[in-house]
Coordinates of all heavy atoms in Angstrom, one line a residue:
G562 N 118.4 119.4 104.7 CA 119.3 118.4 105.2 C 118.7 117.6 106.3 O 119.4 116.7 106.9
R563 N 117.4 117.8 106.6 CA 116.8 117.0 107.7 C 116.3 115.7 107.3 O 115.8 115.5 106.2 CB 115.6 117.8 108.3 CG 116.0 119.0 109.1 CD 114.8 119.6 109.9 NE 113.7 119.9 109.0 CZ 113.5 121.2 108.5 NH1 114.4 122.1 108.8 NH2 112.5 121.4 107.7
E564 N 116.5 114.7 108.2 CA 115.9 113.3 108.0 C 114.7 113.1 108.8 O 114.7 113.5 110.0 CB 117.0 112.3 108.4 CG 118.2 112.3 107.5 CD 119.2 111.2 108.0 OE1 118.7 110.2 108.5 OE2 120.4 111.4 107.8
T565 N 113.7 112.5 108.2 CA 112.5 112.0 109.0 C 112.5 110.5 108.8 O 112.4 110.0 107.7 CB 111.2 112.6 108.4 OG1 111.3 114.0 108.5 CG2 110.0 112.1 109.2
V566 N 112.7 109.8 109.9 CA 112.9 108.4 109.9 C 111.6 107.7 110.5 O 111.2 108.0 111.6 CB 114.1 107.9 110.7 CG1 114.3 106.4 110.6 CG2 115.3 108.7 110.1
L567 N 111.0 106.8 109.7 CA 109.9 106.0 110.2 C 110.3 104.5 110.2 O 110.9 104.0 109.2 CB 108.7 106.2 109.2 CG 108.3 107.6 108.9 CD1 107.2 107.6 107.8 CD2 107.8 108.4 110.1
V568 N 110.1 103.9 111.3 CA 110.6 102.5 111.5 C 109.5 101.5 111.9 O 108.6 101.8 112.7 CB 111.7 102.5 112.6 CG1 112.3 101.1 112.8 CG2 112.8 103.5 112.3
E569 N 109.6 100.3 111.2 CA 108.7 99.2 111.6 C 109.6 98.0 111.9 O 110.7 97.9 111.4 CB 107.8 98.8 110.4 CG 106.8 99.9 109.9 CD 106.0 99.4 108.7 OE1 106.5 98.5 108.0 OE2 105.0 100.0 108.5
R570 N 109.1 97.1 112.7 CA 109.8 95.8 112.9 C 109.0 94.7 112.4 O 107.8 94.6 112.7 CB 110.2 95.6 114.4 CG 111.0 94.4 114.6 CD 111.6 94.4 116.0 NE 112.4 93.1 116.3 CZ 113.6 93.0 115.9 NH1 114.2 93.9 115.3 NH2 114.2 91.8 116.1
H571 N 109.6 93.8 111.6 CA 108.8 92.7 111.0 C 109.6 91.4 111.2 O 110.8 91.3 111.1 CB 108.6 92.9 109.5 CG 107.7 94.1 109.2 ND1 106.3 94.0 109.3 CD2 107.9 95.3 108.8 CE1 105.8 95.1 109.0 NE2 106.7 96.0 108.6
T572 N 108.8 90.3 111.3 CA 109.4 89.0 111.3 C 109.7 88.6 109.8 O 109.1 89.1 108.9 CB 108.5 88.0 111.9 OG1 107.3 87.8 111.1 CG2 108.1 88.4 113.3
R573 N 110.5 87.6 109.7 CA 110.8 87.1 108.4 C 109.6 86.5 107.7 O 109.3 86.7 106.5 CB 111.9 86.0 108.5 CG 112.3 85.3 107.2 CD 113.4 84.3 107.5 NE 114.0 83.7 106.3 CZ 115.0 82.9 106.3 NH1 115.7 82.7 107.5 NH2 115.5 82.4 105.2
E574 N 108.7 85.8 108.5 CA 107.5 85.2 108.0 C 106.5 86.3 107.5 O 105.9 86.1 106.4 CB 106.8 84.4 109.0 CG 107.6 83.1 109.4 CD 108.8 83.4 110.3 OE1 108.9 84.5 110.9 OE2 109.7 82.5 110.3
A575 N 106.4 87.4 108.2 CA 105.5 88.4 107.8 C 105.9 89.1 106.5 O 105.1 89.4 105.6 CB 105.3 89.5 108.9
L576 N 107.2 89.3 106.4 CA 107.8 89.9 105.2 C 107.7 89.0 104.0 O 107.5 89.4 102.8 CB 109.2 90.3 105.4 CG 109.4 91.5 106.4 CD1 110.9 91.7 106.7 CD2 108.8 92.8 105.9
A577 N 107.9 87.7 104.2 CA 107.7 86.7 103.2 C 106.3 86.7 102.6 O 106.1 86.6 101.4 CB 108.1 85.3 103.7
A578 N 105.3 86.7 103.5 CA 103.9 86.7 103.1 C 103.6 88.0 102.3 O 102.9 87.9 101.2 CB 103.0 86.7 104.3
H579 N 104.1 89.1 102.7 CA 103.9 90.4 101.9 C 104.5 90.3 100.5 O 103.9 90.6 99.5 CB 104.6 91.5 102.7 CG 104.8 92.8 101.9 ND1 103.8 93.7 101.7 CD2 105.9 93.3 101.3 CE1 104.3 94.7 101.0 NE2 105.5 94.5 100.7
T580 N 105.8 89.8 100.5 CA 106.5 89.7 99.2 C 105.8 88.6 98.3 O 105.6 88.8 97.1 CB 107.9 89.4 99.4 OG1 108.5 90.3 100.3 CG2 108.7 89.4 98.1
Q581 N 105.4 87.5 98.9 CA 104.8 86.4 98.1 C 103.5 86.9 97.5 O 103.2 86.7 96.3 CB 104.4 85.3 99.1 CG 103.7 84.1 98.4 CD 104.6 83.0 97.9 OE1 105.8 83.1 98.1 NE2 104.1 82.1 97.2
A582 N 102.7 87.7 98.2 CA 101.4 88.3 97.7 C 101.7 89.2 96.5 O 101.0 89.1 95.5 CB 100.7 89.0 98.8
L583 N 102.7 90.0 96.6 CA 103.0 90.9 95.4 C 103.5 90.1 94.2 O 103.1 90.4 93.1 CB 104.1 91.9 95.8 CG 103.8 92.9 96.9 CD1 105.0 93.8 97.2 CD2 102.6 93.8 96.5
C584 N 104.3 89.1 94.5 CA 104.9 88.3 93.3 C 103.8 87.5 92.7 O 103.7 87.4 91.4 CB 106.0 87.4 93.8 SG 107.5 88.3 94.2
E585 N 102.8 87.0 93.4 CA 101.7 86.2 92.8 C 100.8 87.1 92.0 O 100.3 86.7 91.0 CB 100.9 85.5 93.9 CG 101.7 84.4 94.6 CD 100.9 83.7 95.7 OE1 99.9 84.3 96.1 OE2 101.4 82.7 96.2
R586 N 100.7 88.4 92.4 CA 99.9 89.3 91.7 C 100.6 89.7 90.3 O 99.9 90.0 89.4 CB 99.7 90.6 92.5 CG 98.5 91.4 92.2 CD 98.3 92.5 93.3 NE 98.1 92.0 94.6 CZ 98.4 92.7 95.7 NH1 98.8 93.9 95.6 NH2 98.2 92.1 96.9
Y587 N 101.9 89.6 90.3 CA 102.6 90.0 89.1 C 103.0 88.8 88.2 O 103.2 89.0 87.0 CB 103.9 90.7 89.6 CG 104.8 91.1 88.4 CD1 104.4 92.2 87.7 CD2 106.0 90.5 88.1 CE1 105.2 92.7 86.6 CE2 106.8 91.0 87.1 CZ 106.4 92.0 86.4 OH 107.2 92.5 85.3
R588 N 103.0 87.6 88.7 CA 103.5 86.4 88.0 C 102.9 86.1 86.7 O 103.6 86.0 85.7 CB 103.4 85.2 88.9 CG 104.0 83.9 88.3 CD 103.9 82.7 89.2 NE 102.5 82.6 89.6 CZ 102.1 82.1 90.8 NH1 103.0 81.7 91.7 NH2 100.8 82.0 91.1
D589 N 101.6 86.1 86.6 CA 100.9 85.8 85.4 C 101.2 86.8 84.3 O 101.4 86.5 83.1 CB 99.4 85.7 85.5 CG 99.0 84.5 86.3 OD1 99.8 83.5 86.5 OD2 97.8 84.4 86.8
W590 N 101.3 88.1 84.7 CA 101.6 89.1 83.8 C 103.1 88.9 83.3 O 103.4 89.1 82.1 CB 101.5 90.5 84.4 CG 101.8 91.6 83.5 CD1 103.0 92.2 83.3 CD2 100.9 92.3 82.6 NE1 102.9 93.2 82.4 CE2 101.6 93.3 81.9 CE3 99.5 92.1 82.3 CZ2 101.1 94.1 81.0 CZ3 99.0 93.0 81.3 CH2 99.7 93.9 80.7
A591 N 104.0 88.6 84.2 CA 105.4 88.4 83.8 C 105.5 87.3 82.8 O 106.3 87.4 81.9 CB 106.2 88.2 85.1
L592 N 104.8 86.2 83.1 CA 104.9 85.0 82.1 C 104.3 85.4 80.8 O 104.9 85.0 79.7 CB 104.1 83.8 82.7 CG 104.8 83.2 84.0 CD1 103.9 82.2 84.6 CD2 106.1 82.6 83.6
Q593 N 103.3 86.2 80.8 CA 102.7 86.7 79.5 C 103.7 87.6 78.8 O 103.9 87.4 77.5 CB 101.4 87.5 79.8 CG 100.9 88.3 78.6 CD 99.9 89.4 79.0 OE1 98.8 89.0 79.4 NE2 100.3 90.6 79.0
E594 N 104.4 88.4 79.5 CA 105.4 89.3 78.9 C 106.6 88.5 78.3 O 107.1 88.8 77.3 CB 105.9 90.4 79.9 CG 104.8 91.4 80.2 CD 104.3 92.1 79.0 OE1 105.1 92.9 78.4 OE2 103.1 91.9 78.6
Q595 N 107.0 87.5 79.0 CA 108.0 86.6 78.6 C 107.7 85.9 77.3 O 108.5 85.9 76.3 CB 108.4 85.6 79.7 CG 109.7 84.9 79.5 CD 109.9 83.9 80.6 OE1 109.1 83.1 80.9 NE2 111.1 84.1 81.3
A596 N 106.4 85.4 77.2 CA 106.0 84.8 76.0 C 105.8 85.8 74.8 O 106.2 85.5 73.7 CB 104.6 84.1 76.2

């Protein structure tokens, strides 16, 4: 029942850059799958 909590603090811009990079890596594959 123990919790181990790890915390980071991020700006909106840093999180946007992280998410944008992941989505760009996936986008071409997703469009291929849609077709």
Side-chain angles (χ1 to χ4, degrees):
R563 289 193 298 267
E564 295 180 31
T565 301
V566 183
L567 309 175
V568 181
E569 299 176 339
R570 184 170 179 80
H571 291 284
T572 65
R573 181 176 182 173
E574 290 75 17
L576 293 172
H579 166 79
T580 306
Q581 177 93 6
L583 294 178
C584 289
E585 288 176 352
R586 207 171 299 160
Y587 181 72
R588 180 180 54 210
D589 289 346
W590 182 269
L592 292 170
Q593 167 195 287
E594 291 303 292
Q595 194 176 56

